[in-house]
Amino acid sequence: IGVGLVGFGLFFLLFGILLYFDSVLLAFGNLLFLSGLVFIIGFRRTFTFFFQRPKLKGTSFFFGGLIVVLMRWPILGMLLEAYGFISLFR
């Protein structure tokens, strides 16, 4: 289930970008991606991954970008999410 949710999340993110940053598709893709991640590695490990002390800057940018996308500012939100994603996974 988790791999399917992550796959659909990435598909919706890509499709939302291809359709000139459609905010509904991007928000749906983000929510599917995060829920799939929870299904794959579990709630506790997901929580501890995102809220480690050295990763708080990346986490705040990632979730801030998610909130901005949900407020229908997709380009700015995706830029914030991209920076947070790079900060989290480097």
Side-chain angles (χ1 to χ4, degrees):
I1 293 174
V3 174
L5 287 173
V6 168
F8 277 120
L10 292 175
F11 171 74
F12 278 111
L13 284 172
L14 179 66
F15 201 57
I17 289 171
L18 289 175
L19 290 175
Y20 299 111
F21 292 97
D22 184 31
S23 60
V24 174
L25 289 174
L26 291 174
F28 195 60
N30 282 325
L31 294 176
L32 283 175
F33 179 76
L34 288 176
S35 63
L37 190 64
V38 168
F39 270 102
I40 290 174
I41 64 173
F43 183 75
R44 179 175 289 161
R45 289 179 71 187
T46 304
F47 186 81
T48 57
F49 172 75
F50 278 110
F51 293 103
Q52 292 175 3
R53 185 90 171 144
K55 295 183 180 183
L56 281 178
K57 180 181 173 185
T59 300
S60 61
F61 272 99
F62 185 77
F63 286 119
L66 178 67
I67 290 170
V68 171
V69 167
L70 290 174
M71 292 184 342
R72 296 195 181 257
W73 289 24
I75 296 173
L76 178 64
M78 288 305 291
L79 288 173
L80 289 173
E81 279 186 41
Y83 179 73
F85 188 82
I86 291 169
S87 295
L88 279 172
F89 291 105
R90 65 180 156 120

